[in-house]
Amino acid sequence: MKKREKVAAIHRIIDQKASNEEEFAELVKDPLWRIGNLYSCQTKDPNAPVVKFIPKLAQCLLLYEIFTNGWKRILVLKARQQGFSTLIAIFGLDYVM
C-alpha cells in the first residue's frame, strides 16, 4: 500500500463525526479516532494557543503500521521535528486512560 493510501485510511477514521450519543460511544472505542479528535497540544511558541492534535504525514504512517499491521516494536532513529515525541506521549496517555 502506498503512503498516500495509508494516510488517507487514517484520516477516514479520524474525520468521522458522530451525530448522536450512540455513534459517539462507538467512535470513542477506536484509539485512532481518539488520538485524532480528543487531544490538544501546545506549540513551541508559549504565547500561541493550545491547538487540536492533528497527525502529520510521518505520524499517520506510524499510526497505520501500529493499528493496521499490528507493529509492536518501533525504533525511531534520528527523527527530528517529525512530532514523534508528541505522538508517543499522546499514544501513551490514551493507552493508560
Side-chain angles (χ1 to χ4, degrees):
M1 185 177 264
K2 295 180 181 179
K3 287 182 184 179
R4 186 178 310 152
E5 294 168 345
K6 292 178 181 179
V7 172
I10 294 299
H11 279 284
R12 273 194 299 275
I13 294 169
I14 290 173
D15 293 340
Q16 293 177 9
K17 303 294 180 208
S19 60
N20 58 44
E21 289 184 26
E22 291 84 24
E23 288 179 12
F24 180 76
E26 284 301 312
L27 289 174
V28 169
K29 292 178 184 177
D30 187 348
L32 279 175
W33 187 87
R34 289 193 310 263
I35 287 171
N37 287 284
L38 299 182
Y39 296 101
S40 299
C41 57
Q42 177 71 47
T43 61
K44 290 183 180 181
D45 180 8
N47 298 323
V50 174
V51 295
K52 178 183 167 192
F53 176 75
I54 301 172
K56 296 179 183 179
L57 171 69
Q59 295 168 330
C60 283
L61 295 173
L62 180 61
L63 288 170
Y64 181 86
E65 298 301 344
I66 291 170
F67 290 107
T68 304
N69 292 337
W71 284 13
K72 300 287 185 218
R73 295 181 183 182
I74 301 154
L75 296 174
V76 180
L77 304 174
K78 297 241 179 199
R80 300 186 187 277
Q81 304 300 314
Q82 296 288 321
F84 284 116
S85 296
T86 303
L87 175 65
I88 291 167
I90 289 174
F91 182 74
L93 174 66
D94 186 72
Y95 183 76
V96 298
M97 303 277 289

